[in-house]
Amino acid sequence: MKRILLPLALVLTVSAQAQTTVNPNAKVDPKNNKVSNPVVEKPKAKLMSREELRACIDAQEANAKEAEGIKADQAAYKATAEQLKAEKAKLEVGEAELGKQVEAVRAEKEAILKAHEALTADAPKLDKAELKARNEAYLARTTAFGTMVDAVKAADAEQGVKRKAFSAKVDALDAQFKAIEDRTEKHYDANDKWKAECQNKAYDENDEKAIRKEKAAAAGK
């Protein structure tokens, strides 16, 4: 199951310090000046070393940066998909127009064949002048038909180039989606790793301040 990408909102919030709890019910024996219920100290939480804390902060910042990068990729993908929708609609209009041209060529071909049959059948009954006129009309029609066929072939070739270009763009969009999907999964893995190694881990606030100071100094260079 694919996980839904969420913005990072993970902050190192746990700062553990040694805590001492005094028992309010403790009583002092006046004879031996001993505490009947002695002070109880909680065990000190194990703090991350400065290097471990630095690694956690670096990972957190990298995850946040990666989340922004994925958002940018998703926005680019969406924009390209919308652009291809418009291009597809335009391509479909061209396909419909080409289909009409092809049907017109088929219809004209059938009409010419019928005209040829009729001329062949009527030829013996026609005088020389009328036969010549009908032959000339028939030849003119076949010549125009040839031009019509050439035009349809050219339109089909042009449409074929558009089809191929559109198909390549669709393939590129699919690859773009796959890349975003893979990048997102890796980001989730990195975020899970940060949670396992860093979230809710105790650290020294002085170490954090020192690390933040180092980073600020490095960024200012």
Side-chain angles (χ1 to χ4, degrees):
M1 182 181 293
K2 298 296 179 185
R3 296 171 287 192
I4 300 173
L5 179 61
L6 297 175
L8 287 181
L10 303 175
V11 182
L12 292 171
T13 57
V14 179
S15 174
Q17 298 178 348
Q19 299 180 14
T20 302
T21 303
V22 179
N23 186 342
N25 297 317
K27 296 180 180 179
V28 178
D29 186 339
K31 293 182 179 180
N32 54 24
N33 199 31
K34 291 184 179 180
V35 180
S36 58
N37 291 313
V39 173
V40 178
E41 290 190 357
K42 286 187 177 180
K44 292 182 179 180
K46 182 180 179 182
L47 303 181
M48 286 192 289
S49 68
R50 182 173 293 190
E51 288 307 312
E52 288 173 333
L53 180 59
R54 180 182 286 107
C56 284
I57 292 174
D58 288 345
Q60 182 190 24
E61 292 176 350
N63 288 346
K65 185 177 180 180
E66 182 67 358
E68 292 303 316
I70 291 172
K71 285 182 182 178
D73 281 355
Q74 289 173 331
Y77 172 84
K78 184 177 180 181
T80 302
E82 289 299 320
Q83 182 181 344
L84 285 185
K85 278 185 182 180
E87 192 170 329
K88 180 183 178 182
K90 188 175 180 181
L91 185 66
E92 288 175 344
V93 169
E95 292 290 343
E97 182 59 33
L98 178 62
K100 291 179 181 179
Q101 289 180 269
V102 171
E103 287 302 316
V105 166
R106 288 174 180 169
E108 180 62 6
K109 179 181 179 181
E110 291 298 321
I112 288 174
L113 290 174
K114 289 180 180 180
H116 182 268
E117 289 178 2
L119 180 59
T120 301
D122 294 342
K125 300 177 287 184
L126 300 175
D127 60 38
K128 186 179 292 186
E130 187 175 0
L131 179 60
K132 180 182 178 183
R134 287 184 62 174
N135 270 327
E136 289 176 348
Y138 175 78
L139 290 173
R141 190 171 186 179
T142 56
T143 299
F145 177 74
T147 302
M148 188 178 184
V149 170
D150 290 341
V152 172
K153 286 181 179 179
D156 182 58
E158 183 180 352
Q159 194 69 11
V161 172
K162 292 178 181 179
R163 290 187 205 109
K164 186 175 181 180
F166 180 78
S167 179
K169 289 179 181 180
V170 171
D171 289 343
L173 186 67
D174 288 341
Q176 186 179 0
F177 178 83
K178 183 63 169 59
I180 293 173
E181 192 174 46
D182 292 344
R183 186 178 182 182
T184 300
E185 284 301 311
K186 289 178 181 177
H187 169 65
Y188 284 137
D189 291 341
N191 195 40
D192 288 343
K193 185 174 184 291
W194 182 90
K195 287 180 180 179
E197 297 179 356
C198 305
Q199 192 173 35
N200 297 327
K201 296 291 180 69
Y203 63 94
D204 190 319
E205 288 183 350
N206 291 326
D207 284 342
E208 182 190 15
K209 289 177 182 178
I211 293 169
R212 299 293 184 191
K213 187 175 180 180
E214 289 174 7
K215 285 182 169 290
K221 289 182 180 180

